[in-house]
Amino acid sequence: MEPETAPTEPTHRSLNGRERNWAPLAIAVAVGLAILVVGLLLSGRARHSQDSGALSATPEPYAANLVITNLAMSESSNLAGGKVTYLDGHIANQGDRTVNEVVVQVTFRDYANKVAQSQKLPLTLIRMREPYIDTVMVSAAPLKPGTQQDFRLNFDAVSPDWAGALPEVRILHVGLK
């Protein structure tokens, strides 16, 4: 009779017949994921502080000739199941130059009146409303002196800290012809 041997655990062998040690690979994956998470967190903070820092930016002098009125908020669901928030309004060029670009700063505030979200984005003008709302950049439909136009700004995400009041809209940059 042969002596009994204890059952052995299965080993993972590589193509060359040696056992494979998975620990270094697992550690490398964990370190890579940790670096990725830290990078994403830091980039989000940097983006937020960059947007918030732009609050102190001084608007261009011609911005005083552009009057924004009739602000209204709405939202809808997108095809991916998320929510899109819209800020519609009206802009009038009361100056003597043609405007071909407008960049605005939109600031959403929380219940303590602190900045919940601040974002710079180009103003887009409403080209048509039926069968759906179509927007274009101001460069595609410049605002001539004395003209006015409806606009729409899209937000894929709005801070959950937002109090729900209309955001502040400031014109930061005006491109002129």
Side-chain angles (χ1 to χ4, degrees), residues 24-38:
L25 181 60
I27 291 171
V29 168
V31 169
L33 285 173
I35 291 171
L36 180 64
V37 168
V38 169

Side-chain angles (χ1 to χ4, degrees), residues 62 93 95-99 143-146 176-177:
Y62 196 84
N93 181 359
D96 59 357
R97 309 266 314 265
T98 299
V99 175
L143 284 169
K144 294 181 178 160
L176 302 170
K177 274 190 171 180

Side-chain angles (χ1 to χ4, degrees), residues 59-81:
E60 295 182 20
Y62 196 84
N65 296 306
L66 301 177
V67 179
I68 293 178
T69 57
N70 300 334
L71 293 177
M73 301 287 299
S74 61
E75 60 184 38
S76 69
S77 298
N78 62 20
L79 296 175

Side-chain angles (χ1 to χ4, degrees), residues 112-143:
N113 205 31
K114 293 185 179 180
V115 175
Q117 178 177 334
S118 184
Q119 191 170 346
K120 287 191 301 186
L121 59 162
L123 193 80
T124 56
L125 302 175
I126 296 177
R127 178 188 297 189
M128 66 180 192
R129 292 188 179 273
E130 295 295 330
Y132 59 90
I133 293 182
D134 184 30
T135 60
V136 296
M137 301 298 291
V138 176
S139 60
L143 284 169

